[in-house]
Amino acid sequence: MAVRRFDFTEGNILCQMVAYSLPIFLTNVLQASYQFVDSLWVGNLLGSNALASVSVSGTIIFTILSFIIGMNGATLTILAQRKGAGDERGLQESLNAFVVVFALLAISLGLIGYVLSPYILTWIGTPDTIHKLATEYLQVNALGIVFLFGYNFIGTVLRALGDSRTPIRFVLAAVILNTVLDPLFIAGFHMGVVGAAAATILSQGLSFVYALIYTKRTGKIPFTKPHRPDKQYAATIFRLGIPAGLQMMLISGGMMAVISIVNSFGEDVVAGFGAAQRMDSLIMLPILTLGSAVTSMAGQNIGAGKWERVNGVTRSGIGLIMSISAIIAVVVYVFAPAMLGWFVENPAAIHFGAAYLRTVCLFYPFLGINFVLNGVIRGAGAMLAVLVLNFISFWVLRYPLSALFSRWLGESGIAYGMGVSFLLSAGFAVLYYRLGSWKRVRIVGSRQ
């Protein structure tokens, strides 16, 4: 049975948004379950120190990957606009340029991450009791970055072309493998946190191979034999990709800075924050999903020059995200302690984590607005603007406010600093969306 590819330049916007977002949401749930499964097995089989080491390392892994992930976001924008404009040759040449550039970046950052792992952990103030475990977990994951990137890249390309369902099968295969291999490597082979990292990398590697074979045989992606990219297409990638990559580095670096504040309050707070972040990564999936969906939807319509539909995407996205965020906030406020108990048994860690989630969840609607508006702006190709907005969000607001409130209120102030930063960031995003120059960015077609 053929998988439906959406043409977002016509049809009911809200219905398309829901239908297109649901497979992305499922894919994101499966993707997030990697860390979820790792945390469950590590926390229950190896204890809170091991869980804390995985949590700290997870933030750094995201930082190492962030530049590539950001450029991967440029993939979504460029390919969606190429599709919307009906530029088949441009689509193929852009795809080839992405493959060549990203392969080189993934290999380089993996090697750099392996070498610098212990120094990065020391720099962010990782407690001595978990430093060795965190280093081991981080180094193994760094070696497997190319696999993580590879199958995520294929999924991004498919979504840019309007197919949000096929990527589910790749992520599902990896999650099933990871769920089986995690306890085997951790406890069966007595590899500890290294086993958790090895199981994840092996699962992602096999899924990447599966994705390559499947897309090649079905012709779902117009891959060509890799060759030296044409200057025009490479220039477009770097023009959009570098700001997008730096944007993700700002985000992940900002979270590392917040982690350094958390680390100053000791192991219980680190473990509680780590467990809360694991829950937060699942709770935030609907918001992340809509942010990604509106980028594809806006991108296709911008490529086709249909600006009224772009405005419709924004209105529908904000209405949907506000409703979803309100429901999530209620669920989190009521069930936070029980959910954190899945990851950690330490009462002090659960107490801190629950208080953190119950405060932050009240500000989720503002974070949702921020994601939707940034997604539309990103769909236009205004990556530099999104870079500036994220710099303001994390380095002007989130980190300083978390530090300030934690100095006033102790560890409970971290959540208040985060929440207030969500509110103020949404305000900056609204101002730029209404008054900024993002509509004048040129990528394809009549916009060149």
Side-chain angles (χ1 to χ4, degrees):
M1 179 175 154
V3 175
R4 180 185 178 187
R5 283 190 176 182
F6 286 94
D7 180 356
F8 297 122
T9 61
E10 55 186 25
N12 184 281
I13 292 174
L14 183 58
C15 290
Q16 286 181 335
M17 185 174 291
V18 173
Y20 178 71
S21 296
L22 285 175
I24 299 178
F25 175 71
L26 180 56
T27 301
N28 286 340
V29 169
L30 293 171
Q31 184 70 59
S33 69
Y34 271 113
Q35 295 297 329
F36 183 87
V37 169
D38 277 350
S39 297
L40 282 177
W41 286 117
V42 169
N44 286 283
L45 294 176
L46 300 176
S48 60
N49 273 6
L51 176 61
S53 71
V54 170
S55 300
V56 171
S57 298
T59 302
I60 299 172
I61 290 166
F62 180 70
T63 302
I64 295 171
L65 278 169
S66 60
F67 190 79
I68 296 178
I69 292 173
M71 292 192 72
N72 205 22
T75 306
L76 195 62
T77 297
I78 293 173
L79 297 186
Q81 288 203 25
R82 297 282 184 198
K83 177 176 172 58
D87 183 5
E88 292 299 324
R89 180 178 178 275
L91 182 64
Q92 286 191 336
E93 291 299 326
S94 295
L95 184 57
N96 170 74
F98 275 118
V99 169
V100 173
V101 171
F102 288 172
L104 294 174
L105 283 174
I107 294 170
S108 299
L109 288 181
L111 294 175
I112 292 170
Y114 181 87
V115 173
L116 296 183
S117 291
Y119 305 103
I120 296 172
L121 287 164
T122 299
W123 175 67
I124 66 171
T126 304
D128 292 339
T129 51
I130 63 174
H131 192 284
K132 183 175 183 295
L133 289 175
T135 299
E136 293 172 348
Y137 185 84
L138 183 55
Q139 287 182 325
V140 174
N141 272 281
L143 294 177
I145 278 179
V146 66
F147 302 124
L148 174 60
F149 165 73
Y151 87 99
N152 276 308
F153 172 72
I154 291 175
T156 299
V157 173
L158 288 167
R159 285 191 289 273
L161 300 179
D163 178 3
S164 60
R165 295 184 183 181
T166 299
I168 295 175
R169 66 174 66 223
F170 309 141
V171 180
L172 180 60
V175 169
I176 291 173
L177 283 170
N178 192 47
T179 303
V180 173
L181 294 178
D182 249 341
L184 178 64
F185 280 34
I186 292 172
F189 296 158
H190 304 289
M191 295 174 65
V193 294
V194 172
T200 298
I201 285 176
L202 180 58
S203 302
Q204 291 166 347
L206 292 173
S207 178
F208 177 41
V209 173
Y210 170 46
L212 284 175
I213 293 173
Y214 181 85
T215 53
K216 179 68 175 177
R217 287 183 176 177
T218 59
K220 288 182 176 294
I221 297 177
F223 282 126
T224 58
K225 183 178 180 180
H227 55 274
R228 183 175 180 178
D230 184 277
K231 182 178 179 180
Q232 170 193 351
Y233 297 101
T236 301
I237 287 175
F238 284 107
R239 179 165 59 87
L240 272 67
I242 289 177
L246 292 175
Q247 164 200 164
M248 293 302 297
M249 293 187 74
L250 285 175
I251 292 172
S252 56
M255 284 308 301
M256 285 179 62
V258 172
I259 287 285
S260 70
I261 298 172
V262 174
N263 285 342
S264 69
F265 289 100
E267 295 171 13
D268 290 339
V269 173
V270 172
F273 186 79
Q277 287 296 97
R278 292 292 177 243
M279 280 309 310
D280 209 33
S281 67
L282 295 176
I283 293 163
M284 290 297 299
L285 287 179
I287 296 175
L288 293 170
T289 295
L290 274 176
S292 176
V294 298
T295 297
S296 294
M297 297 181 72
Q300 285 194 20
N301 283 290
I302 290 169
K306 297 187 175 181
W307 286 98
E308 184 53 41
R309 287 186 64 82
V310 175
N311 294 332
V313 168
T314 304
R315 290 191 297 269
S316 296
I318 289 179
L320 193 56
I321 203 62
M322 292 292 286
S323 301
I324 292 172
S325 298
I327 295 171
I328 291 173
V330 172
V331 172
V332 170
Y333 197 90
V334 174
F335 297 106
M339 292 187 294
L340 290 168
W342 298 342
F343 299 98
V344 64
E345 297 179 354
N346 183 336
I350 292 175
H351 176 76
F352 169 80
Y356 171 86
L357 286 175
R358 282 174 166 167
T359 300
V360 169
C361 74
L362 302 177
F363 296 89
Y364 282 161
F366 302 106
L367 188 61
I369 292 172
N370 200 38
F371 267 86
V372 169
L373 295 180
N374 280 358
V376 174
I377 295 167
R378 189 179 293 112
M383 301 302 185
L384 185 59
V386 180
L387 171 65
V388 173
L389 288 172
N390 278 288
F391 177 80
I392 293 171
S393 177
F394 281 86
W395 289 99
V396 176
L397 298 174
R398 190 169 306 181
Y399 173 57
L401 288 175
S402 296
L404 183 63
F405 277 84
S406 66
R407 182 171 298 179
W408 289 343
L409 305 174
E411 63 266 25
S412 62
I414 296 170
Y416 288 102
M418 297 278 279
V420 172
S421 75
F422 295 167
L423 170 62
L424 296 177
S425 295
F428 279 104
V430 170
L431 284 175
Y432 181 76
Y433 179 84
R434 294 178 65 87
L435 305 176
S437 60
W438 59 276
K439 291 184 178 181
R440 295 195 292 272
V441 176
R442 301 290 185 266
I443 297 180
V444 301
S446 62
R447 296 166 53 84
Q448 287 185 328

